[in-house]
Amino acid sequence: MTIHIHNSALASRLDSPLTPESLAGIEILLEGKGTFEFHSLPNGLFPAAVADEYTGYGNVWVRDNVQLGHQFLALGETDRAVGVIQGLTAFFHTQRSKIDRIIDGSLDSSDPMNRPHIRFNGRTLSELDEKWSHAQNDALGYYLWLASRLVLDGLWHPGAADLQLLTRFVPLFHALRFWEDKDSGHWEEQRKVAASSIGTALTGLRTLRDLLAVRSELHGLDGEVRGQLTHEAEQLIETGHRALDSILPWECRAESPAEQRRYDAALLFLIYPLRLLDVTGNAAGQIVRDVHEHLEGSIGVRRYLGDSYWCADYKEKLSEETRTADFSDDLSSRDALLRPGEEAQWCIFDPILSVIYGLRYSETRSDEDRHQQEHYLRRSLAQITSETGEERAFRCPESYYLERGRYVPNDVTPLLWTQANLRLALRQMMTTLTAPSVHS
């Protein structure tokens, strides 16, 4: 498939095979153009995007911040990764009452507004008043995963209250029955039992379990408490794995047509960055093939078939007030606007596919894996906006959507999550290009 490069300054650099020198030149160009700017709030957290105020993307999402934090960690910028987790931890302390009351059964967790909030005012660390689909077990799992990993790596040294907060996620996931809970997941829409949410929560629990097992001293947690938590976590992990195995490679196997979903690009995150699925294993291979065969478009990747968010002529069909509103209770009005095949094509997935193929190549040394890694990196770079786009030139969009028959970046440009994933893909490509030859 021909790759359409939106930025002509990159076109000439992508005409020939990539080398360490040419890749370094691309990185220098993008750094100089501000493509990889990440401006944090004073507390270390990041808004989701530099976008029009109406989108609401100036707020903080837990999921996006963990993805950014992981990127910083992977690239050696550990202070920024720790800053993200410290900021999120400070917010989750404000949610402690909700967590405790869900655990003891005094708060109705079926109401998403009663769940720990996963989207909030990052400057004040306060909840937003508007109704939102806060039932998102994946966001909670991402936080638990990265926070536990930073402690395991000796990079974050939380106090006793912080550690006690982390451990409350074990009984919280138990109370929520995450393995069969209908949550709104990565895309904050239709509630369903989703493999991508179960897998993310499972990864968080596994990482916390590992932390409880190997650290000789955890402030405020004596041996007996740690033993009880470890036992409960092990039981949840076993239950979660059984549930996940019964669903994959589907996202949701529900009988209800509204909930059932065979293909969803969120499943890629179980391969990377979570590494829950073996990159060369059968499950990972099937997910990647599904994305390639059913969700991949000419520019980016659809989140899922039938996704009406930023469908064709979205700005003409919906007012500013409703474009990014909470549709989790009823998607039918927005779905009615979609014509088949005109879903938005997102830019967060191609770099993840490139990383996945790069990780595969590091194990297989397969020419096909090496080719696919470069192919998806080229697609990722091709998505960078045109140099003639004024203030949005050289930026990483959330997605491209059809506007009067032509694909253009949506209003959420730049999206910091896309930037982070592209940086990871560039680093993995450099690792591949500088690896010793298999014949040496």
Side-chain angles (χ1 to χ4, degrees):
M1 183 181 292
T2 302
I3 297 175
H4 176 68
I5 302 172
H6 290 82
N7 189 301
S8 62
L10 289 169
S12 60
R13 295 172 181 264
L14 295 175
D15 279 344
S16 54
L18 293 175
T19 65
E21 294 74 22
S22 66
L23 192 65
I26 289 171
E27 291 194 62
I28 290 170
L29 170 66
L30 297 180
E31 289 283 359
K33 296 294 186 179
T35 306
F36 297 130
E37 290 180 350
F38 295 89
H39 296 299
S40 70
L41 301 172
N43 55 22
L45 296 174
F46 294 83
V50 182
D52 294 338
E53 184 176 353
Y54 87 83
T55 66
Y57 277 65
N59 292 310
V60 164
W61 268 260
V62 172
R63 180 189 310 101
D64 293 51
N65 269 261
V66 172
Q67 294 279 359
L68 297 183
H70 164 262
Q71 168 242 178
F72 292 131
L73 176 62
L75 298 182
E77 299 169 24
T78 55
D79 288 347
R80 302 187 88 177
V82 171
V84 166
I85 286 301
Q86 288 177 327
L88 290 177
T89 301
F91 173 72
F92 276 121
H93 275 299
T94 73
Q95 304 295 289
R96 178 64 185 267
S97 174
K98 279 194 173 87
I99 293 171
D100 290 342
R101 291 178 62 201
I102 290 173
I103 292 169
D104 69 24
S106 63
L107 188 63
D108 180 11
S109 63
S110 66
D111 182 349
M113 295 301 289
N114 288 340
R115 300 280 187 111
H117 284 202
I118 50 73
R119 174 182 183 265
F120 58 93
N121 185 318
R123 297 186 180 278
T124 61
L125 297 183
S126 59
E127 295 183 356
L128 301 168
D129 293 334
E130 65 185 301
K131 178 184 175 297
W132 200 256
S133 52
H134 292 293
Q136 296 179 35
N137 296 333
D138 66 299
L140 305 180
Y142 277 123
Y143 166 72
L144 185 60
W145 164 65
L146 186 59
S148 300
R149 180 173 170 181
L150 287 172
V151 182
L152 269 170
D153 292 346
L155 298 172
W156 180 40
H157 305 283
D162 298 330
L163 286 168
Q164 289 166 4
L165 173 67
L166 280 184
T167 61
R168 295 302 280 167
F169 281 78
V170 176
L172 174 62
F173 279 130
H174 197 165
L176 293 172
R177 300 179 67 85
F178 79 95
W179 61 92
E180 61 183 14
D181 182 44
K182 292 184 179 182
D183 78 332
S184 290
H186 284 73
W187 313 136
E188 308 185 310
E189 296 178 343
Q190 171 73 49
R191 290 182 70 168
K192 60 189 181 299
V193 180
S196 60
S197 290
I198 294 171
T200 308
L202 183 57
T203 305
L205 287 165
R206 285 176 26 148
T207 313
L208 178 63
R209 184 269 318 271
D210 294 344
L211 171 61
L212 292 170
V214 304
R215 294 287 292 182
S216 59
E217 181 181 355
L218 294 173
H219 299 297
L221 300 175
D222 61 29
E224 182 178 355
V225 171
R226 287 171 63 177
Q228 293 171 347
L229 285 166
T230 299
H231 178 68
E232 185 175 7
E234 289 281 10
Q235 290 183 314
L236 292 176
I237 290 166
E238 182 180 346
T239 303
H241 272 297
R242 285 199 302 268
L244 186 64
D245 291 344
S246 72
I247 300 172
L248 290 177
W250 291 54
E251 167 72 336
C252 180
R253 289 184 183 265
E255 293 182 5
S256 166
E259 298 174 18
Q260 189 177 99
R261 186 170 300 166
R262 174 64 181 86
Y263 312 109
D264 196 309
L267 293 170
L268 290 172
F269 304 132
L270 302 186
I271 310 170
Y272 189 83
L274 294 175
R275 306 298 294 269
L276 177 66
L277 302 178
D278 181 358
V279 71
T280 59
N282 291 334
Q286 185 63 60
I287 289 167
V288 170
R289 286 193 297 275
D290 287 344
V291 170
H292 172 68
E293 294 173 9
H294 300 280
L295 301 179
E296 185 175 316
S298 60
I299 294 176
V301 173
R302 302 170 180 89
R303 298 189 300 181
Y304 58 90
L305 299 178
D307 180 12
S308 58
Y309 182 57
W310 283 101
C311 62
D313 300 317
Y314 199 66
K315 294 169 74 171
E316 295 181 11
K317 295 173 179 176
L318 291 173
S319 66
E320 286 189 355
E321 293 74 20
T322 55
R323 286 175 203 160
T324 56
D326 176 18
F327 282 89
S328 59
D329 288 338
D330 182 13
L331 274 171
S332 60
S333 61
R334 198 183 73 189
D335 287 349
L337 306 176
L338 175 70
R339 292 186 294 269
E342 294 188 346
E343 299 93 343
Q345 299 186 24
W346 283 57
C347 304
I348 60 175
F349 301 115
D350 284 286
I352 293 298
L353 284 164
S354 181
V355 172
I356 289 170
Y357 276 111
L359 292 172
R360 282 183 55 88
Y361 175 77
S362 69
E363 296 187 27
T364 66
R365 286 299 192 264
S366 158
D367 289 341
E368 176 62 17
D369 288 336
R370 167 68 177 74
H371 169 76
Q372 292 285 54
Q373 179 187 8
E374 183 167 336
H375 171 71
Y376 283 105
L377 177 60
R378 288 176 183 275
R379 276 174 54 97
S380 304
L381 291 167
Q383 293 160 358
I384 292 174
T385 55
S386 168
E387 68 275 29
T388 59
E390 298 177 359
E391 76 275 6
R392 290 182 175 172
F394 285 92
R395 296 296 178 258
C396 298
E398 178 184 68
S399 71
Y400 279 82
Y401 79 106
L402 279 169
E403 185 178 74
R404 300 184 180 183
R406 175 173 167 265
Y407 278 105
V408 298
N410 77 5
D411 286 0
V412 188
T413 302
L415 181 73
L416 272 62
W417 189 355
T418 310
Q419 295 176 193
N421 289 355
L422 179 55
R423 290 184 82 205
L424 290 168
L426 288 166
R427 174 61 63 89
Q428 190 65 44
M429 191 75 245
M430 185 63 78
T431 297
T432 293
L433 291 174
T434 56
S437 168
V438 69
H439 303 295
S440 63

